[in-house]
Amino acid sequence: MPVAGAAPKAAIAQRIATAVLGRDAGSLSGVSSLSHHVFVGPDVVVKVIEGSRHRRLDREAALAAELPAGLTAPLLGSGTFRYGAQEFRYACYARILGTAPGMGLPGVTAAAARSLAEQAVERLRTLHAWVPSRGADRVLREPLGHGGFLDRDTLLDGIGRLASDGRLTGPVLAGLTAIATQAPPRASVDVPVHADCHWDNWLAADGRVLALLDFEWARWGEPLDDWFFLAAFSGPHRSVVLDVIARATGLAPDELAAGCELREAAHLVSDLLAEPGPPPPQRARELAALTVHRRWQRH
């Protein structure tokens, strides 16, 4: 049931789109999003968030206008919008007519997965070769709540905190520790990375990759930060995607697997530290696959 006095997000998005386009934006439909209110029209996408919430949309909008041409959806406008006493922040993008391949690449053949991965790798290499302006560099250096692998001591400290509260089994803790002790002392921060480029954040149509979306977690990092997301969420095609990455980058397969394993461990440890209580069943299965079965090493 709607809360009395709550701002009508769809109406706000409609007014924003009309103002940015300078004409009727057409009918907008809400779509699922974990971090923003997102509305899609015939040729526009509007992302809205309450002014008191996180500032990642500001980060994304600041970068969108400066990213290499053709990498992401064109930014049409961004700013703030007031509704009564409430302030909202928004970003308005041109809609690209495609669909996300989806987590795990459901219904995708091995050949199609290889083609999508080859195109995605090339787009990510374009991002990694981008030389940001001073303003974009400043945005990429702003601290985030979750930056993946930072350094070996931080990861080991997090594992130690998990060991002290008794939430994880001995084999899982031993596996996490084994992964962490093989980590380099610090992460590299040499190139701009997307840092969330799973298959829900891509658009494709007729087998062609069209755009990479949602740059709210973009930062300075190293290419492996992106290769992990591309491979980890490829479902049954993980080996295919890892092979594509290795061939395109020249990384040895064992080096690539170890880098992905490390990043999954860092993300899981960070998530567990932020989630009180025992890990839910899905998280427990992920931990066992990573640490006990060492799924990355099998690939």
Side-chain angles (χ1 to χ4, degrees):
M1 179 179 295
V3 178
K9 311 297 189 310
I12 288 171
Q14 189 80 46
R15 291 175 63 181
I16 289 170
T18 298
V20 169
L21 293 175
R23 57 174 172 79
D24 182 13
S27 177
L28 301 183
S29 301
V31 298
S32 176
S33 172
L34 295 176
S35 55
H36 299 95
H37 310 289
V38 181
F39 298 87
V40 177
D43 51 9
V44 68
V45 176
V46 184
K47 300 175 76 168
V48 182
I49 190 168
E50 293 84 355
S52 59
R53 294 186 60 200
H54 64 76
R55 310 288 299 190
R56 296 197 302 271
L57 185 58
D58 298 359
R59 181 190 201 91
E60 176 181 289
L63 293 173
E66 303 214 29
L67 289 167
L71 182 61
T72 193
L75 178 69
L76 301 177
S78 63
T80 59
F81 178 89
R82 294 204 69 85
Y83 179 85
Q86 280 189 282
E87 182 178 81
F88 294 84
R89 287 173 285 112
Y90 70 85
C92 192
Y93 297 90
R95 183 181 179 186
I96 295 178
L97 296 179
T99 57
M103 294 283 201
L105 296 176
V108 174
T109 66
R114 180 173 292 277
S115 177
L116 289 171
E118 288 170 346
Q119 296 174 69
V121 166
E122 286 309 305
R123 284 180 176 264
L124 286 168
R125 292 181 77 181
T126 297
L127 172 63
H128 299 162
W130 172 47
V131 180
S133 68
R134 183 175 298 177
D137 171 77
R138 185 168 55 250
V139 172
L140 291 167
R141 293 186 188 281
E142 290 173 358
L144 285 161
H146 195 316
F149 171 67
L150 300 174
D151 60 70
R152 182 171 55 210
D153 288 345
T154 298
L155 180 55
L156 286 169
D157 178 70
I159 295 168
R161 289 161 61 191
L162 291 174
S164 67
D165 65 20
R167 283 189 287 163
L168 301 182
T169 66
V172 167
L173 287 167
L176 286 172
T177 302
I179 293 168
T181 53
Q182 297 301 311
R186 292 195 62 80
S188 298
V189 286
D190 298 330
V191 302
V193 296
H194 183 278
D196 197 28
C197 54
H198 54 72
W199 290 105
D200 271 353
N201 279 338
W202 294 88
L203 288 179
D206 300 323
R208 290 194 311 116
V209 170
L210 303 176
L212 175 58
L213 307 178
D214 294 347
F215 278 77
E216 60 185 84
W217 292 102
R219 56 180 174 80
W220 285 103
E222 58 183 306
L224 268 164
D225 297 325
D226 283 339
W227 305 146
F228 159 68
F229 277 99
L230 205 61
F233 299 97
S234 294
H237 304 301
R238 178 181 297 180
S239 292
V240 170
V241 174
L242 285 170
D243 181 62
V244 168
I245 295 168
R247 288 173 181 270
T249 63
L251 284 170
D254 57 348
E255 180 184 0
L256 176 57
C260 290
E261 183 177 63
L262 171 61
R263 279 150 185 83
E264 183 170 11
H267 280 283
L268 285 174
V269 168
S270 179
D271 289 345
L272 287 166
L273 290 172
E275 299 168 357
Q282 177 59 35
R283 185 75 78 201
R285 288 192 291 270
E286 292 171 351
L287 284 163
L290 173 70
T291 59
V292 178
H293 304 297
R294 301 298 293 268
R295 60 182 175 185
W296 290 102
Q297 299 306 316
R298 297 211 315 270
H299 285 279

